[in-house]
Amino acid sequence: MLQEIRQLGFAYAELSHGTRISLVPGILEAVDAGEIRISSLHNFCPLPIGVNYAAPNLYQFSAERPRERELAARYTLKTMEFAGRVKASAVVLHAGGIEMKNYTDKLLDLLGRGEKATPRYEKLCLELDAKREARKEPFLERVKEALKKLLPEAESRGLKLGIENRQGLEELPLESHY
C-alpha cells in the first residue's frame, strides 16, 4: 500500500488508527528502504493486539473509568514510540467525549429529511447545548490531565500532538455550530 501511495507521487503518508500490528513489518521495511516517509500517526497506531478494526475511540482520555484512561495513555505512548521508529513528527489524538445521550445521529437524521428549521430540530439543539454544558467539566478536566502527562513525553521525542475535531457533538473538543 505504501509503495502505491509513493507511486501516486506522494512523498509522505499518515498511518491511521486502522493500522493492524501485522502490517508493521512491511511499514518498517518501506520506511527503512526510503520508499515513503511517514508524516504522522493517528492514535492508536498500531492497533492494540487483538483489535483488527479501526478504533480511534477504543480508549478515551475523557472516560469516567480510570482503567480506560490508563489504557488510553498506555497505547498513546506506544503510538509515540512507533512514531519515533518511523520518524513521524506528529501524533493525532481523539480527546474522547462527554458520556451522554447521542444527539448527533438524531440531528443528522433531521437534517437529512430537510428539517433543520423545524421546532423539533431547534428544541433538540437547545437540549443538547444545555446537557453538554452541564456535563462537560469533569470530562474536559480528565482530558487536560491526560495531556499534561503526555506532553512531556511528546516533547522529549520531538513530536507534536494534534487533537482532531470529530463529527459527534458529544465528542471533545466541543463544537457549538451545527
Side-chain angles (χ1 to χ4, degrees), residues 92-108:
V92 179
L93 307 173
H94 295 178
I98 301 169
E99 292 180 21
M100 58 187 283
K101 180 169 85 171
N102 180 332
Y103 285 86
T104 301
D105 290 342
K106 291 177 185 177
L107 289 167
L108 287 173

Side-chain angles (χ1 to χ4, degrees), residues 36-110:
I36 192 83
R37 294 169 72 183
I38 305 301
S39 60
S40 54
L41 275 62
H42 206 116
N43 212 25
F44 304 100
C45 180
L47 287 165
I49 293 173
V51 179
N52 294 313
Y53 54 90
N57 297 323
L58 182 64
Y59 304 115
Q60 297 186 28
F61 302 120
S62 63
E64 291 182 278
R65 294 185 341 254
R67 178 70 178 145
E68 182 174 347
R69 294 193 308 272
E70 289 169 17
L71 290 169
R74 176 188 302 164
Y75 287 108
T76 299
L77 291 172
K78 289 186 177 291
T79 298
M80 288 184 197
E81 289 172 16
F82 190 52
R85 179 61 181 90
V86 297
K87 300 176 182 77
S89 61
V91 172
V92 179
L93 307 173
H94 295 178
I98 301 169
E99 292 180 21
M100 58 187 283
K101 180 169 85 171
N102 180 332
Y103 285 86
T104 301
D105 290 342
K106 291 177 185 177
L107 289 167
L108 287 173
D109 182 55
L110 291 171

Side-chain angles (χ1 to χ4, degrees), residues 51-172:
V51 179
N52 294 313
Y53 54 90
N57 297 323
L58 182 64
Y59 304 115
Q60 297 186 28
F61 302 120
S62 63
E64 291 182 278
R65 294 185 341 254
R67 178 70 178 145
E68 182 174 347
R69 294 193 308 272
E70 289 169 17
L71 290 169
R74 176 188 302 164
Y75 287 108
T76 299
L77 291 172
K78 289 186 177 291
T79 298
M80 288 184 197
E81 289 172 16
F82 190 52
R85 179 61 181 90
V86 297
K87 300 176 182 77
S89 61
V91 172
V92 179
L93 307 173
H94 295 178
I98 301 169
E99 292 180 21
M100 58 187 283
K101 180 169 85 171
N102 180 332
Y103 285 86
T104 301
D105 290 342
K106 291 177 185 177
L107 289 167
L108 287 173
D109 182 55
L110 291 171
L111 284 172
R113 291 188 276 151
E115 295 185 37
K116 182 174 182 177
T118 64
R120 182 175 176 206
Y121 182 88
E122 295 300 324
K123 180 182 178 206
L124 207 52
C125 288
L126 290 172
E127 183 181 317
L128 164 64
D129 284 343
K131 288 192 179 180
R132 188 171 57 183
E133 190 63 29
R135 292 190 50 81
K136 73 179 182 183
E137 281 311 313
F139 296 93
L140 286 171
E141 285 307 313
R142 288 190 286 267
V143 171
K144 289 177 190 177
E145 188 60 33
L147 291 174
K148 283 180 190 174
K149 292 176 182 175
L150 291 170
L151 278 172
E153 185 65 29
E155 288 173 350
S156 74
R157 295 173 181 274
L159 288 169
K160 295 176 185 169
L161 297 180
I163 298 177
E164 181 179 57
N165 289 341
R166 301 286 293 154
Q167 163 181 315
L169 297 169
E170 305 78 18
E171 296 184 59
L172 300 169

